[in-house]
Amino acid sequence: MKKTGLGAKIRALFTGSKIDEALIENLEDILIEADVGSRLAAEIVGDVEAMAGRGADRDTVMDVLAKRVSEGLRAVDLRPDPEADVTLYLILGVNGTGKTTSCAKLARYYRDVLGVSGVVLAAGDTFRAAAVQQLVTHGERLGIRVVQQGQNADPASVIFDALASAKSRGERLVIADTAGRMHTRADLVGQLAKIDKVVRRQIDPAHYRKVMVIDSTTGQNGYRQAELFHEAVGVDAAILAKYDSTAKGGIAVQISRSLGIPFAFLGTGETYESLQPFSVDDYLRRLIGDPVSTGMDDDVPG
Ligand SMILES: Nc1nc2c(ncn2[C@@H]2O[C@H](COP(=O)(O)OP(=O)(O)OP(=O)(O)O)[C@@H](O)[C@H]2O)c(=O)[nH]1
Ligand SMILES: [Mg+2]
């Protein structure tokens, strides 16, 4: 699939030297299409219009774009506190966004890249038997222990088991998968809030993070997903998955700016290695396609 990035599209607008009304309109359309959100698109276009009077050129517009997009976009460095006996990352999100795959990628990342000793996967998606098996298979391939109680088990109990066994074995990190649930289904989101409540009694909240997986190909809907999950349980960090499959992905900007949720990782493919810590500069490079440096990559500890 040929992807035409936001930057290439914008650069193509500037065939002449004049910034006219047609160009401004096209620019707004392109920004909205990239999922940066209509409010930010209008702000950027407003800036460009103001600059047009002062004879802005293409490079200046690209600069404004990079700065505006990166304002409010936060990266978080999610890693277990070495002082903690055990840390829990609860992976959540809507159906099919990439949760289970991200669990496996995260397990590999923490063990192989960060050298965390003792990474465990917990099969908290007990909704379908196939979901448990999917995680078990990843565990076998990676050589990572998977705690599971089969289908229909209580997810909070699976996570409790994983935490207790990890503590007794001296393992440091539990990554728990959960069932995909539609953000619009209040009952399912309510179940997640219940899991969260039970889990919070079993672990020091300082070492517990709720990590939401956002599929970058779902567009504007991703914002609503994040908003409703955030309202229900409080999302600590997000993973932008499938960023290799789309030239859009502007949704991360909206989620981070408006909800204050920082991004921890970027999922860029189906292999275990295709997960990288979220970097604002790298994200912008992929979104806009230009070497940009915002100086805004000051990660805060997660
Ligand atoms: N191209 C690409 N595909 C991905 C990425 N992450 C996940 N996928 C694919 O997306 C599909 C769904 O991934 P899962 O990990 O099963 O998604 P899930 O959120 O666990 O799905 P449910 O448990 O059914 O809610 C799979 O085919 C994955 O290989 C990514 O970063 N890039
Ligand atoms: Mg899954």
Side-chain angles (χ1 to χ4, degrees):
M1 177 176 39
K2 171 111 177 59
K3 298 189 297 173
T4 306
L6 181 59
K9 282 187 190 159
I10 292 175
R11 273 187 286 274
L13 276 182
F14 288 84
T15 43
S17 55
K18 264 186 47 215
I19 298 183
D20 56 17
E21 212 162 285
L23 186 147
I24 296 279
E25 241 172 63
N26 280 330
L27 177 63
E28 190 159 9
D29 288 348
I30 290 171
L31 292 169
I32 289 172
E33 213 182 289
D35 287 329
V36 303
S38 49
R39 200 190 321 157
L40 180 58
E43 279 174 31
I44 292 170
V45 163
D47 281 0
V48 171
E49 264 177 321
M51 284 167 35
R54 288 177 261 132
D57 58 13
R58 193 180 73 180
D59 290 346
T60 319
V61 171
M62 295 305 287
D63 266 4
V64 170
L65 179 69
K67 284 212 183 73
R68 284 302 221 147
V69 166
S70 59
E71 274 165 12
L73 178 59
R74 266 206 312 138
V76 64
D77 180 12
L78 199 66
R79 59 176 75 203
D81 176 354
E83 301 294 314
D85 53 351
V86 68
T87 294
L88 172 66
Y89 296 151
L90 186 71
I91 310 302
L92 39 97
V94 165
N95 312 66
T97 52
K99 293 177 296 301
T100 307
T101 311
S102 295
C103 286
K105 290 180 186 178
L106 287 167
R108 186 213 72 103
Y109 174 81
Y110 284 108
R111 183 192 62 186
D112 296 354
V113 181
L114 293 193
V116 174
S117 65
V119 178
V120 184
L121 288 164
D125 179 357
T126 57
F127 201 63
R128 295 175 294 120
V132 176
Q133 189 49 50
Q134 191 188 350
L135 199 69
V136 167
T137 303
H138 283 309
E140 282 168 2
R141 286 193 194 132
L142 287 164
I144 299 253
R145 190 166 80 87
V146 179
V147 174
Q148 57 115 350
Q149 295 175 1
Q151 193 185 1
N152 298 327
D154 171 19
S157 147
V158 176
I159 296 165
F160 176 79
D161 239 22
L163 286 172
S165 63
K167 273 183 208 161
S168 73
R169 289 159 170 252
E171 293 162 334
R172 311 302 297 267
L173 176 63
V174 174
I175 300 167
D177 194 16
T178 61
R181 60 197 82 229
M182 288 306 296
H183 54 300
T184 46
R185 285 277 306 271
D187 54 335
L188 299 182
V189 176
Q191 281 173 13
L192 186 64
K194 225 178 340 181
I195 297 172
D196 175 51
K197 201 171 149 199
V198 176
V199 166
R200 261 187 287 139
R201 289 193 215 116
Q202 296 157 358
I203 183 155
D204 180 347
H207 306 131
Y208 168 39
R209 294 284 181 275
K210 281 154 277 183
V211 183
M212 177 160 186
V213 179
I214 304 284
D215 178 341
S216 45
T217 67
T218 55
Q220 288 302 303
N221 197 253
Y223 179 78
R224 190 74 186 129
Q225 294 170 14
E227 188 174 40
L228 290 174
F229 273 80
H230 195 43
E231 266 171 35
V233 294
V235 173
D236 299 302
I239 296 175
L240 187 66
K242 309 188 195 178
Y243 202 34
D244 53 306
S245 315
T246 177
K248 296 178 164 200
I251 197 66
V253 179
Q254 266 193 84
I255 291 174
S256 195
R257 270 170 67 105
S258 303
L259 302 174
I261 299 172
F263 278 75
F265 290 97
L266 201 58
T268 54
E270 298 192 64
T271 65
Y272 293 129
E273 290 76 23
S274 37
L275 178 83
Q276 51 205 79
F278 193 92
S279 128
V280 174
D281 278 353
D282 185 47
Y283 168 82
L284 281 178
R285 228 183 328 269
R286 285 168 183 266
L287 187 73
I288 297 173
D290 237 5
V292 283
S293 179
T294 60
M296 293 193 62
D297 240 353
D298 304 321
D299 292 350
V300 289

